């Protein structure tokens, strides 16, 4: 019986009712230790009853470094259904749970980092949906604050994508007390579980201590418990009716003392058995009892703890403690030497594997070379599974390594792994410790690489650029001079993409690693300014690389694509397809090694190559399960689709990419993609969406970041375009002038925004504000050598130049537009020319241009420009037609994407696999799309689409 929890129970009932109706939802209960979160979870299971399938798991403090430990427990009952998952997702989950070795099948991407964590999350989504196929599913996860990060990330990804599966996800997390409060924002609906009101607290105490409790004792216990249900039930038992608890201590500490007292009253053998159960993270009797037997303790010694209600044995033969604080109390009260002995006996009861290795490490008191090697192998396997915890394993291995150089090598690997896991402060601390232990220039270069990555993710782009540049030069010089020693060579494993097993002794750094560092330096320099970009590219162009090196084609392509845009000389730019094929022949990993090349095609206006290559690489990444690179590739593809006037396609691509970027915590691309979607919203006049997305973009800077958001240039262009579309030329001009003359003026968005600045400045009567950006744009169009780019330059010239030269420039621009299918810009030039003709009283000449512009704007749903064209056409004396109604415009991007795939004949399961959704969510979106399209089944989709 729960007292005073009507509000919380109502929220849980709503979640369950939603699942019964086929809709999914999540709820996170937060509160201090003992406040009643676990009781609410138990109550939810009772309320769900037999109508629900229930799966359960809980975080365990000593399990937090074991990747996917919590998730494997939660999904254990569904592992017989793995075959329903798409291949890459199934393999990722099998690898995460130790059911596979992590090796990639032909045509699939190898396991690595964020991409695999995403695949595990998508597999979790698919398995939850499958488990909910027959009846609603209730997933209960307690003690989220102790859940290993890999499991938590997978569950959060699944929670964000659950829509119409009938899954209720109910979690509980402690927020105060214990070693560290859990304050991480999970992006889920939350409910704070508060202290009980005095009347309810009194009822709980009376039920526990009886009605004859003296009033003075009752009042003292009520005051000390402060409405905490666990305190109301445990403090009376611990202190007795007359005793006082430890005054002045935090409530959690007093509860621990209370549990200490209850455990101390048990037989010594039972206390030791409870210590074994507390130290063994899973509670499996098949491990706990053999470990206890090695200490001379039998299963019968568990009985006293069961009789007092401190533990129960679940049907799956797992020991469950009455409360997580009880486990903590048992571990804290045990002497250090006893904990070491218990961990050793647990290890001996476990089979060979990572859990055994970790318990041996926890029992170790002196350096142990064999154990350090085993821990390093654990770290390598953790990395291959895409889980968190590799840094902890490498660090512990370093502490156990007898020789100094070997320990240093493992500290560097720990620093690299911590960077991959996003633990920037830990990575820098490990890097500093390792740097103090070695004089190797190559080792220091690799540590600078770690520091640079941390600076980059914090937004300290100039510092990151300088560290990477210096590190690349150090790597280049030390490998060229043959000065790398065994220690430095060993540290190369993480940075160069190798493993610990193939870096011992000798130099494992390849000469091409300097080029890879320069590629990363280019990324940092792109946000630092033009001079750093040029400096990196000059060094990259001068770097001697073997012609058959996989990175050589990109190293040649990047300077040729970027330097001319900065007004610098460069070698002739080869076709992107040639560079790609050369890289593939040399053994480049596709698509990962080709991402930067794809983005570079946009810099000199090779947009058609971006569409071709970007579409190919996105499809390849999707098929291989290489999802970590998809947001980057899709951003480039969406930009190119936008520039070609394919606005709906760009929105579909960017919307999917944004969800993937959010799922993988790629703050840079969340910012960039939000800004690009804001621009698309500005095109069709969705004011609220434009401003909201731009605000999201500008606010998305990632943790510990001081620099402006990565999407700042695109966001400013989006807001300026919105101003221009609404007739606010002054606001547009201010934003665009800052963008096109500021430190990011070399960015693709800033370059392409110059024609908008020219239009806004001319409308304001201040064309001089656009003079310098126009000159730069003219130089860029000459370097780009594209008809559509020259058409935009001619449009700018017509606006800026003397009036008598405007018409030839407009006409030349329209002729060039006709050779390149870019309907939006073509229509804008026609609109500006039509406006010019009307102002010069040539209304008859203006009408065909204004009519053509209006038809294009209507077709593209570019409503602000349609309104402007319609107004201009009416001013010529011609009645402008109303915009046609198209049912496609009523679909959401996801509905349109799903409908298009269904029209191609794909099944719901095929579509779900391609879009990383559940089949039931696909069916839900199709069901919503049919009435909007005026049809009743998927067989009619090819006709209406």
């Amino acid at each position: 019986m729960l007292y005073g929890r009507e509000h919380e129970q109502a929220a849980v009932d709503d979640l369950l009712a939603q699942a019964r109706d086929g809709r999914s939802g999540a709820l996170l209960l937060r509160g201090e230790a003992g406040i009643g979160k676990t009781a609410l979870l138990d109550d939810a299971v009772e309320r769900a009853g037999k109508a629900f399938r229930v799966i359960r798991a809980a975080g365990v403090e000593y399990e937090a470094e074991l990747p996917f430990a919590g998730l494997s427990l939660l999904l254990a009952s569904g592992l017989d259904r793995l075959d329903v998952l798409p291949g890459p997702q199934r393999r990722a989950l099998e690898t995460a749970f130790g059911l596979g070795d992590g090796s990639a099948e032909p045509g699939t991407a190898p396991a690595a980092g964020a991409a695999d964590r995403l695949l595990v999350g998508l597999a979790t989504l698919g398995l939850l949906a499958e488990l909910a196929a027959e009846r609603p599913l209730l997933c209960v996860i307690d003690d989220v604050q102790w859940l290993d990060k890999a499991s938590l990330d997978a569950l959060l990804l699944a929670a964000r994508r659950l829509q119409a599966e009938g899954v209720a996800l109910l979690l509980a997390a402690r927020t105060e007390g214990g070693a560290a409060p859990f304050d991480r924002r999970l992006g889920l609906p939350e409910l704070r579980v508060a202290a009980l009101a005095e009347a309810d607290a009194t009822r709980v105490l009376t039920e526990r201590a009886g009605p004859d409790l003296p009033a003075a004792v009752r009042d003292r216990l009520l005051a000390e418990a402060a409405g905490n249900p666990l305190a109301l039930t445990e403090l009376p038992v611990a202190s007795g009716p007359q005793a006082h608890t430890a005054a002045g201590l935090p409530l959690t500490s007093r509860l621990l003392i209370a549990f200490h007292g209850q455990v101390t009253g048990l037989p010594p053998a039972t206390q030791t058995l409870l210590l074994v159960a507390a130290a063994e993270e899973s509670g499996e009797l098949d491990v706990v009892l053999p470990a206890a037997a090695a200490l001379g303790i039998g299963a019968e010694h568990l009985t006293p703890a069961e009789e007092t209600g401190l533990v129960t044995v679940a049907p799956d033969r797992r020991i469950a403690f009455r409360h997580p604080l009880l486990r903590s109390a048992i571990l804290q009260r045990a002497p250090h030497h006893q904990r070491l002995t218990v961990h050793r006996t647990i290890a001996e009861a476990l089979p060979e594997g990572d859990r055994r290795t970790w318990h041996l490490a926890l029992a170790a008191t002196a350096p142990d070379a064999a154990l350090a090697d085993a821990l390093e192998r654990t770290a390598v396997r953790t990395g291959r599974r895409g889980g968190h915890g590799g840094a902890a394993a490498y660090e512990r291995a370093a502490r156990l390594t007898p020789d100094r150089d070997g320990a240093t090598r493992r500290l560097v690997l720990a620093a690299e792994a911590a960077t991959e896991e996003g633990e920037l402060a830990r990575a820098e601390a490990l890097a500093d410790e390792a740097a103090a232990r070695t004089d190797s220039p190559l080792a220091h270069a690799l540590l600078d690489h770690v520091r640079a990555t941390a600076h980059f993710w914090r937004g300290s782009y100039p510092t990151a650029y300088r560290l990477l540049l210096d590190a690349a030069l150090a790597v280049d010089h030390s490998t060229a001079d043959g000065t790398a020693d065994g220690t430095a060579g060993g540290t190369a494993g993480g940075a160069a993409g190798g493993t610990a097993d193939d870096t011992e002794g000798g130099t494992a750094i390849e000469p091409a690693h300097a080029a890879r560092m320069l590629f990363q330096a280019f990324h940092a320099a792109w946000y630092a300014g033009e001079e750093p970009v040029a400096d990196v590219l000059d060094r990259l162009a001068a770097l001697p690389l073997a012609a058959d090196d996989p990175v050589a084609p990109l190293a040649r392509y990047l300077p040729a694509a970027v330097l001319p845009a900065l007004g610098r000389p460069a070698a002739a730019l080869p076709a992107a397809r040639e560079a790609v094929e050369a890289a593939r022949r040399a053994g480049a990993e596709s698509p990962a090694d080709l991402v930067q090349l794809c983005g570079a095609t946009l810099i000199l206006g090779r947009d058609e190559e971006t569409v071709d290559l970007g579409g190919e690489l996105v499809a390849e990444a999707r098929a291989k399960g290489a999802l970590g690179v998809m947001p980057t590739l899709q951003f480039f593809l969406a930009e190119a689709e936008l520039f070609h006037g394919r606005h709906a396609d760009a929105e579909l691509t960017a919307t999917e990419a944004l969800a993937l970027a959010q799922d993988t915590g790629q703050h840079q691309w969340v910012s960039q993609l939000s800004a690009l979607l804001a621009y698309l919203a500005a095109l069709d006049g969705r004011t609220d969406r434009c401003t909201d997305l731009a605000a999201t973009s500008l606010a998305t800077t990632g943790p510990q970041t001081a620099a402006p958001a990565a999407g700042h240039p695109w966001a400013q262009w989006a807001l300026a375009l919105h101003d221009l579309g609404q007739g606010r030329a002054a606001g547009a001009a201010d934003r665009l002038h800052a963008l096109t003359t500021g430190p990011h003026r070399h960015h693709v968005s800033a370059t392409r925004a110059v024609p908008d600045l020219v239009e806004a400045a001319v409308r304001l009567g201040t064309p001089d504000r656009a003079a310098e950006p126009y000159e730069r744009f003219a130089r860029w169009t000459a370097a780009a050598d594209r008809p559509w780019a020259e058409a935009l330059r001619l449009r700018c010239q017509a606006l800026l130049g003397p009036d008598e030269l405007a018409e030839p420039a407009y006409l030349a621009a329209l002729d060039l537009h006709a050779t390149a299918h870019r309907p939006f810009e073509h229509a804008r030039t026609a609109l500006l020319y039509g406006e010019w003709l009307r102002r010069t009283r040539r209304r008859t000449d203006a009408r065909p241009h204004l009519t053509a512009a209006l038809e294009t704007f209507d077709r593209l749903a570019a409503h602000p420009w349609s309104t402007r064209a319609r107004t201009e056409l009416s001013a010529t004396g011609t009645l402008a037609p109303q915009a046609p109604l198209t049912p496609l415009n009523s679909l959401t991007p996801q509905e349109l994407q799903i409908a298009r795939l269904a029209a191609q004949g794909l099944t719901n399961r095929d579509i779900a696999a391609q879009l990383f959704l559940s089949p039931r969510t696909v069916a839900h979106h199709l069901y919503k799309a049919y009435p909007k399209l005026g049809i009743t089944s998927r067989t009619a989709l090819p006709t209406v689409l």
Side-chain angles (χ1 to χ4, degrees), residues 641-714:
E641 290 171 335
L642 166 64
F643 296 146
H644 278 91
R646 293 165 49 187
H647 300 169
D649 291 340
E651 182 144 12
L652 288 177
T653 301
T655 298
E656 181 186 11
L658 177 59
L660 290 173
Q662 291 168 331
D663 288 339
T664 48
Q666 298 185 49
H667 301 289
Q668 174 191 1
W669 298 113
V670 170
S671 178
Q672 293 273 38
L673 288 156
S674 296
L676 180 57
L677 287 166
Y679 184 95
L680 287 160
L683 281 173
D684 59 22
R686 290 171 288 169
T687 297
D688 290 344
R689 178 169 169 80
C690 174
T691 54
D692 289 348
L693 283 165
T696 297
S697 170
L698 295 171
T700 304
T701 56
Q704 306 171 346
T705 298
H712 182 269
W714 264 106

Side-chain angles (χ1 to χ4, degrees), residues 413-425:
L413 289 170
E416 292 173 337
T419 302
E420 169 67 20
E421 294 168 16
E423 297 186 43
L424 303 185

Side-chain angles (χ1 to χ4, degrees), residues 55-295:
I55 57 175
R56 243 185 134 148
V60 179
E61 189 172 6
Y62 283 84
E63 214 175 29
E65 296 288 2
L66 293 176
F68 302 113
L71 189 66
S72 63
L73 178 61
L74 181 71
L75 299 180
S77 64
L79 295 183
D80 58 339
R81 306 190 185 202
L82 286 179
D83 287 345
V84 305
L85 299 177
Q89 295 178 28
R90 185 189 71 250
R91 288 187 291 274
L93 198 60
E94 288 173 340
T95 303
F97 291 172
L99 304 175
D101 61 6
S103 59
E105 294 184 5
T108 64
D116 291 325
R117 290 193 286 275
L118 176 58
L119 280 172
V120 171
L122 294 172
T124 301
L125 168 68
L127 206 53
L128 292 177
E130 182 64 25
L131 291 173
E134 291 94 19
R135 51 180 169 155
L137 177 70
L138 173 60
C139 305
V140 177
I141 302 102
D142 202 357
D143 288 320
V144 170
Q145 76 279 357
W146 288 331
L147 200 63
D148 63 278
K149 191 172 186 302
S151 294
L152 180 57
D153 288 347
L155 285 167
L156 291 179
L157 186 147
R160 286 192 293 270
R161 288 175 175 261
L162 286 168
Q163 295 182 41
E165 300 80 6
V167 175
L169 187 61
L170 185 61
L171 308 94
R174 185 192 302 181
T175 50
E176 291 89 22
F182 184 74
D183 295 326
R184 177 180 170 187
R185 299 293 97 185
L186 302 184
L188 301 177
E190 294 189 7
L191 180 62
R192 177 74 61 167
V193 183
L196 293 176
E198 184 174 355
D200 294 313
T202 302
R203 293 166 70 189
V204 172
L205 182 59
T206 301
E207 185 176 277
R208 179 63 165 168
D212 299 328
L213 192 68
V217 176
R218 182 195 64 216
D219 292 344
R220 172 175 58 80
L221 290 173
L222 286 173
E224 290 180 349
N228 184 289
L230 184 66
L232 290 165
T233 57
E234 300 298 339
L235 293 180
V237 176
S239 62
Q242 304 300 329
H244 288 270
T245 56
L249 290 176
L251 179 60
T252 301
S253 298
R254 283 182 276 148
L255 287 170
L256 287 172
I257 292 172
F259 283 129
H260 286 175
Q262 295 178 52
V263 174
T264 301
L266 296 172
T270 302
Q271 294 182 40
T272 302
L273 180 53
L274 288 179
L275 178 59
V276 175
E280 200 290 310
E281 62 279 353
S282 70
E284 296 175 7
L285 279 179
D286 292 342
V287 178
V288 172
L289 292 181
L295 300 173

Side-chain angles (χ1 to χ4, degrees), residues 605-848:
R606 302 302 194 265
D607 302 352
E608 70 284 354
E609 293 186 330
T610 315
V611 170
D612 176 51
L613 179 58
E616 175 185 310
L617 293 179
V618 166
E620 185 178 348
R622 196 187 299 277
K624 288 184 173 182
L627 306 184
V629 300
M630 279 188 62
T632 313
L633 288 169
Q634 288 179 304
F635 175 70
F636 299 146
L637 177 59
E639 284 184 299
E641 290 171 335
L642 166 64
F643 296 146
H644 278 91
R646 293 165 49 187
H647 300 169
D649 291 340
E651 182 144 12
L652 288 177
T653 301
T655 298
E656 181 186 11
L658 177 59
L660 290 173
Q662 291 168 331
D663 288 339
T664 48
Q666 298 185 49
H667 301 289
Q668 174 191 1
W669 298 113
V670 170
S671 178
Q672 293 273 38
L673 288 156
S674 296
L676 180 57
L677 287 166
Y679 184 95
L680 287 160
L683 281 173
D684 59 22
R686 290 171 288 169
T687 297
D688 290 344
R689 178 169 169 80
C690 174
T691 54
D692 289 348
L693 283 165
T696 297
S697 170
L698 295 171
T700 304
T701 56
Q704 306 171 346
T705 298
H712 182 269
W714 264 106
Q716 293 303 315
W717 190 15
L719 294 170
L721 186 74
H722 180 260
D723 284 340
L724 193 60
Q726 302 299 322
R728 298 189 292 266
D734 289 343
R735 293 183 188 278
L736 292 169
H737 184 265
L739 174 61
T740 57
T741 59
H744 296 142
R745 64 183 187 179
H746 57 288
H747 281 215
V748 170
S749 52
T751 301
R752 309 289 180 104
V754 170
D756 291 344
L757 170 63
V758 170
E759 182 178 338
V762 169
R763 285 186 174 277
L764 284 176
T766 57
D768 290 347
R769 295 187 72 185
E772 191 273 335
Y774 168 72
E775 292 301 326
R776 287 173 51 83
F777 184 72
R779 291 194 294 271
W780 177 82
T781 57
D785 191 26
R786 287 293 186 266
W788 59 264
E790 177 63 10
L792 294 177
R793 189 200 66 79
L794 286 167
R795 186 171 88 199
C796 293
Q797 178 183 309
L799 287 165
L800 292 169
D803 213 38
E804 59 271 18
L805 298 180
E807 185 164 27
Y810 277 129
L811 291 172
L814 289 170
D815 286 344
L816 288 172
H817 277 308
T819 67
H821 187 67
R822 291 177 178 247
F824 182 66
E825 293 301 341
H826 190 167
R828 288 185 67 183
T829 300
L831 173 61
L832 287 166
Y833 181 39
E835 289 175 336
W836 181 85
L837 288 169
R838 189 187 65 79
R839 286 197 306 274
T840 58
R841 302 182 182 279
R842 295 166 58 184
R843 294 188 298 176
T844 302
D845 293 337
R847 286 169 188 152

Side-chain angles (χ1 to χ4, degrees), residues 556-562 564 570-576 578 600-601 604 606 609 783 786:
R556 290 192 297 268
Y557 187 91
L558 206 56
V562 180
L573 180 63
E578 294 177 10
T601 57
L604 268 189
R606 302 302 194 265
E609 293 186 330
R786 287 293 186 266

